[in-house]
């Protein structure tokens, strides 16, 4: 997952050097921020995919419908994550990003409990 993020970040012009004292964090704040957003989007997307496994099950007779459903779920998840992060102000820092991630997790848990 980190390799895919770093490849994307480099293509987008971000510096992917990590800190020497904390190798799990990136040296540049913006890269670290995008890494946290990337992880949140993936975690949120996995939850959405788990809620609708029949949409992602292999099916030989409806390949076009599966692709449209998958795109729909991806767009919905991306929009939810973008909306959550758009409410974040510029001065929130890493703590604000963590708070948004926690709120996304709470929302997905509440949705799962409602469906159960």
């Amino acid at each position: 997952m980190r390799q895919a993020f770093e490849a994307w970040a480099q293509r987008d012009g971000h510096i992917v050097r990590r800190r020497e004292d904390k190798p799990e964090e990136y040296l540049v704040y913006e890269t670290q921020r995008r890494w946290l957003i990337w992880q949140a989007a993936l975690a949120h997307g996995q939850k959405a995919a788990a809620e609708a496994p029949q949409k992602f099950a292999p099916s030989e007779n409806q390949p076009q419908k599966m692709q449209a459903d998958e795109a729909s779920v991806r767009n919905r998840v991306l929009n939810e994550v973008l909306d959550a992060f758009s409410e974040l102000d510029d001065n929130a820092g890493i703590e604000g990003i963590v708070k948004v991630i926690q709120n996304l997790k709470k929302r997905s848990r509440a949705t799962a409990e409602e469906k159960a």
Side-chain angles (χ1 to χ4, degrees):
M1 175 169 64
R2 190 177 284 266
Q3 290 176 345
F5 167 75
E6 288 180 354
W8 170 82
Q10 284 180 327
R11 281 193 310 269
D12 207 35
H14 296 284
I15 299 169
V16 294
R17 282 191 47 210
R18 297 190 202 172
R19 294 178 53 170
E20 291 181 14
D21 59 336
K22 295 180 183 177
E24 68 277 357
E25 292 183 13
Y26 290 96
L27 188 62
V28 177
Y29 170 78
E30 184 62 23
T31 307
Q32 180 66 24
R33 180 178 162 271
R34 289 176 185 257
W35 168 239
L36 291 172
I37 293 170
W38 179 283
Q39 289 176 311
L42 286 178
H44 192 65
Q46 288 173 351
K47 178 67 178 165
E51 290 173 359
Q54 69 277 7
K55 291 183 180 180
F56 299 103
S59 173
E60 291 80 31
N61 56 356
Q62 295 180 341
Q64 294 298 329
K65 186 174 188 283
M66 186 179 103
Q67 290 175 357
D69 288 346
E70 185 177 352
S72 168
V73 170
R74 286 182 182 182
N75 284 338
R76 182 175 53 84
V77 168
L78 179 61
N79 287 334
E80 288 175 14
V81 171
L82 288 174
D83 288 343
F85 279 101
S86 69
E87 297 168 4
L88 191 64
D89 66 353
D90 292 339
N91 298 324
I94 298 294
E95 295 81 17
I97 293 171
V98 171
K99 187 175 179 180
V100 170
I101 292 169
Q102 290 171 344
N103 288 340
L104 284 170
K105 288 180 181 178
K106 285 179 187 176
R107 264 194 239 161
S108 64
R109 284 186 200 128
T111 305
E113 288 175 2
E114 288 177 5
K115 290 184 179 182

